[in-house]
C-alpha cells in the first residue's frame, strides 16, 4: 500500500486505518491515521511507500534483510509500520513525523546488525528501510564516489569495477553488508592495512538530523562529521549518503588460502603469525581463521588454521615476501592465484572467482541463528595459551575464531582521528562466531560462546577490554531496551567500543540530539554537561 498525496484516497485510507489499528503505549495512544496524516502533510513530491501490518507485503519487506533468525520469531516485537523512502525528502518526513508523534525510529540499511538493532525495539517504533536509496556514482577520474547508505558493499565494488580496473575501496570482505551501518561503525576489510577503515576514507556526507534537515559536512560541522565516521549507527541521525575517496589498486592482485592442521604444526604457525602478521607490508593482509575439523584418516577432531591472503601486487613479489617472512607456512607455487582486484572480492567472500561479477549486485544472504563477540589482542598469546584455546575449541566444537591482523596504515592514524580507536599497538582482532540452525539450540550455543569469551580474558586487551562496535554485543554491559541508558551505564560498553573517544561522542550527541530522539539499546547517551 502506498500513501498518496491525493486527498480523496488519503481520506479513504485514513478512515479505514484509523478505526482498525490502534497502538497503545503507557503514555499515549498513537494511531496509524495520525501518523499518516503527518506524512501526507509533509510529503512534497512523490508519495512514500508505506507498509502497515495489514499490507500483504509488510512481512516480506520486514524479513527481507533479517539475517539473524533469532529475531525472526513471532514473539519479536514488530514495527508499527515500515517506510521505504525513494528520495531524501521521504527520510526528512519520516523523522519529522516520528518525532512529532513520539514514535521511535529504527533505521535499516543492510540489516546486518548482530543484535537486530536496526529492526527490533521494545517500544512502539517504525522502520525506515533505506534499501531503495542505493545509488552509487563513481567519478573515476577524480578517484571519488558518492554512495547512498542503502547500497551494499558488493554494489559499491561492482560500480567501481564497471568504471575502472585500477580503483577499489577498502571495505568489508562480506559483500552484502549495508554501507549505512558499515561506515557508521568504522568498517574494516582486506585493504585496511594499506588505506585504513572505510570511515577514514569518507570526505563528505549527507544526513538528516533530528529536526529533519539535510546537512552536509559543512553545515553539520566537524564534530558531528567526526562522530558519524565510526561512532556506531543509530545515534546521531540518518546518514543518506557518503562521499568517499577511492583507493588505487594494481591491475593484478594475488590471493591464497591454505589450511594447516595441528598435526602439521599449526600451533607453531599460529604463534609465529601473531608476531609477523601486523608487521607485514601494508599491501599484504594475512587473515587467520581457527575452527574444528575432522583429522584426516581418523575419526578424531583437530584444529584447522586457515590462512587467507590478499596482496596488492603480483605472485612473483608475494612469493618473495612470504619466503622472507613466513617460510614455515610452506606455500607451493600453485597456492598463489593472480586475478583482478574485483575477482579477489569474490574470492574473499567465498564466492567462485570465475562467476560473473553480477553476483555482487544480488543481496540475498545466508540466514541462521547467530551470535558474535569480539576482542582485541595487544600481546602475543603463548604456545601454552594456544594449546588451552585448542582444548576449548575441540571440547565445544561450536565456535569459529576469525583473526584479523592490524598494523600498517592502522597504526599511523591517531586513536582520536575518528571514533574508531583500535589503532597502534593492536596486533589483531578476534571475532568469535557461533551459528546454528534450530531455535532449540540457541541457549546452548550462546552460553558456550559467552564461556569462551570469559575463558579468553587473560589473553586479550584489558582496561578496557576493547570490542568492535560493528560487532554489536549487548552482553558488554547494562543496556536499556528503550535506549535510555544512563551515562554511567553507557560508559561501560562505550569505553570498550570507543576508548577515550566515548566522552567526545557523548558531547556531540548532547549538542545535536539533546532529547535523545535517535536511540537504541546501545546508542550514545545525551546528557546535560
Ligand atoms: C555476515 C557479516 C559479515 C560482516 N563482515 C564485516 C566486515 O568484513 N567488516 C566490517 O567492518 N564489518 C563486518 N560486519 C559487521 C557490519 O559492518 C555491521 O553489522 C554493520 O553495522 C552492518 O551495516 P548494515 O547497514 O548492514 O546494518 P543495519 O542492521 O542496517 O544497521 C546497523 C546499525 O546502524 C544503524 N544504521 C543503519 N543505517 C544507518 C544510516 N544510514 N544512518 C545511521 N545509522 C544507520 C542501524 O540503525 C543499526 O543500529 C559483518 C556483519 C555480518 C553479519
Ligand atoms: C506486493 O509486492 C508485489 C511484488 O513486488 C506487488 O506486485 C504488489 O502490488 C504488492 N502488493 C501491495 C499490496 O503493495
Ligand atoms: C521467518 O519467519 C517466518 C514466519 O514468521 C517464516 O515464514 C520465514 O520462513 C522465516 N525466515 C527464515 C529464513 O527462516
Ligand atoms: C566429521 O565427520 C563426521 C562423521 O564422521 C561428520 O558427521 C561431521 O560433519 C564431520 N565434521 C566436519 C567438521 O567435517
Ligand atoms: C567455475 O569453476 C568451477 C570449478 O573450477 C566450475 O565447476 C564451474 O563450472 C565454473 N563456472 C563458470 C561460470 O565458468
Ligand atoms: C606505535 O607505537 C610504538 C610503541 O609505542 C611506537 O614505537 C611506534 O612509533 C608507533 N607507530 C606509529 C606509526 O606511530
Ligand atoms: C525506559 O525504560 C526505563 C526502565 O528500563 C524506564 O524507567 C523509563 O521510564 C523508560 N523510558 C521511556 C521513555 O520509555
Amino acid at each position: 500500500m502506498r500513501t498518496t498525496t491525493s486527498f480523496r484516497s488519503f481520506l479513504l485510507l485514513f478512515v479505514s486505518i484509523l478505526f482498525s489499528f490502534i497502538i497503545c503505549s503507557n503514555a499515549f495512544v498513537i494511531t496509524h491515521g495520525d501518523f499518516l496524516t503527518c506524512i501526507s502533510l509533509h510529503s512534497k513530491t512523490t508519495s512514500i511507500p508505506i507498509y502497515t501490518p495489514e499490507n500483504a507485503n509488510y512481512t516480506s519487506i520486514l524479513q527481507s534483510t533479517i539475517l539473524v533468525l533469532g529475531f525472526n520469531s513471532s514473539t519479536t516485537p514488530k514495527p508499527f509500520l515500515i517506510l521505504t523512502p525513494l528520495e531524501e525528502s521521504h527520510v526528512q518526513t519520516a523523522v519529522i513525523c516520528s518525532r512529532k508523534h513520539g514514535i521511535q525510529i529504527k533505521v535499516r540499511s543492510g540489516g546486518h546488525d548482530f543484535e537486530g538493532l536496526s529492526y527490533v525495539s521494545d517500544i512502539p517504533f517504525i522502520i525506515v528501510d533505506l534499501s531503495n536509496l542505493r545509488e552509487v556514482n563513481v567519478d573515476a577520474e577524480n578517484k571519488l564516489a558518492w554512495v547512498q547508505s542503502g547500497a551494499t558493499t558488493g554494489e559499491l565494488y561492482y560500480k567501481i569495477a564497471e568504471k575502472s580496473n585500477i580503483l577499489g575501496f577498502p571495505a568489508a570482505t562480506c559483500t552484502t553488508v549495508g554501507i549505512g551501518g558499515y561506515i557508521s561503525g568504522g568498517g574494516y576489510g582486506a585493504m585496511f592495512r594499506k588505506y585504513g577503515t572505510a570511515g577514514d576514507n569518507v570526505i563528505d556526507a549527507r544526513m538528516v538530523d533530528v529536526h529533519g534537515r539535510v546537512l552536509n559536512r559543512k553545515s553539520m560541522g566537524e564534530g558531528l562529521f567526526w562522530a558519524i565516521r565510526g561512532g556506531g549507527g543509530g545515534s546521531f541521525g540518518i546518514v543518506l549518503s557518503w562521499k568517499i575517496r577511492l583507493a588505487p589498486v594494481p591491475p593484478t592482485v594475488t590471493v591464497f588460502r591454505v589450511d594447516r592442521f595441528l598435526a602439521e604444526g599449526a600451533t607453531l604457525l599460529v604463534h609465529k603469525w601473531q608476531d609477523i602478521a601486523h608487521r607485514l607490508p601494508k599491501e599484504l593482509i594475512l587473515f587467520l581463521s581457527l575452527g574444528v575439523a575432522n583429522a584426516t584418516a581418523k575419526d578424531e577432531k583437530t584444529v584447522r588454521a586457515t590462512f587467507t591472503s590478499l596482496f596488492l601486487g603480483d605472485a612473483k613479489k608475494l612469493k618473495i615476501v612470504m619466503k622472507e617472512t613466513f617460510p614455515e607456512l610452506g606455500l607451493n607455487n600453485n597456492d598463489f592465484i593472480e586475478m583482478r582486484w574485483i575477482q579477489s572480492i569474490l574470492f574473499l567472500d567465498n564466492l567462485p572467482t570465475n562467476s560473473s561479477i553480477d553476483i555482487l549486485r544480488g543481496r540475498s544472504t545466508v540466514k541462521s541463528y547467530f551470535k558474535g563477540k569480539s576482542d582485541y589482542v595487544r600481546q602475543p598469546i603463548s604456545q601454552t595459551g594456544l594449546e588451552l584455546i585448542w582444548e576449548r575449541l575441540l571440547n565445544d566444537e561450536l565456535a569459529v575464531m576469525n583473526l584479523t591482523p592490524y598494523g600498517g596504515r592502522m597504526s599511523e592514524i591517531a586513536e582520536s582521528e575518528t571514533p574508531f580507536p583500535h589503532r597502534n599497538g593492536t596486533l589483531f582482532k578476534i571475532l568469535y562466531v557461533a551459528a546454528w540452525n534450530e531455535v532449540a539450540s540457541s541457549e546452548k550455543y550462546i552460553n558456550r560462546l559467552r564461556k569462551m569469551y570469559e575463558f579468553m580474558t587473560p589473553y586479550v586487551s584489558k582496561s578496557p577490554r576493547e570490542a568492535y562496535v560493528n560487532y554489536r554485543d549487548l552482553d558488554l554491559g547494562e543496556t536499556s531496551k528503550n535506549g535510555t541508558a544512563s551515562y554511567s551505564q553507557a560508559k561501560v560498553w562505550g569505553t570498550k567500543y570507543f576508548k577515550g573517544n566515548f566522552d567526545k561522542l557523548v558531547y556531540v550527541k548532547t549538542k545535536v540530539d539533546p532529547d535523545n530522539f535517535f536511540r537504541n539499546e546501545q546508542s550514545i547517551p545525551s546528557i546535560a554537561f
Side-chain angles (χ1 to χ4, degrees), residues 94-213:
V95 169
I96 289 166
C97 294
S98 330
R99 189 150 171 251
K100 182 165 175 218
H101 290 282
I103 304 169
Q104 190 186 23
I105 268 195
K106 289 279 185 160
V107 53
R108 182 165 77 174
S109 289
H112 276 42
D113 194 278
F114 280 17
E115 299 277 11
L117 297 195
S118 53
Y119 54 83
V120 184
S121 181
D122 266 22
I123 48 179
F125 72 109
I126 65 164
I127 295 177
V128 175
D129 183 308
L130 299 180
S131 53
N132 289 326
L133 294 179
R134 58 206 272 187
E135 247 177 67
V136 182
N137 285 307
V138 174
D139 174 1
E141 200 179 323
N142 294 304
K143 302 193 178 72
L144 295 171
W146 271 102
V147 53
Q148 284 188 306
S149 285
T152 61
T153 49
E155 286 166 338
L156 171 61
Y157 299 143
Y158 178 92
K159 292 286 186 170
I160 296 171
E162 230 181 15
K163 289 272 178 76
S164 168
N165 198 18
I166 51 167
L167 287 175
F169 186 67
T173 49
C174 170
T175 58
T176 53
V177 167
I179 288 291
Y182 174 76
I183 300 185
S184 294
Y188 80 93
M191 296 203 294
F192 87 133
R193 301 190 67 254
K194 171 81 174 169
Y195 294 115
T197 63
D200 295 335
N201 291 280
V202 171
I203 52 180
D204 202 342
R206 291 173 64 78
M207 74 176 287
V208 175
D209 77 350
V210 66
H211 305 292
R213 297 175 302 197

Side-chain angles (χ1 to χ4, degrees), residues 292-295 298-301 304 397:
V292 172
N294 289 331
K298 275 194 228 153
D299 202 18
E300 260 171 26
K301 306 278 175 235
R304 175 178 48 212
E397 208 194 312

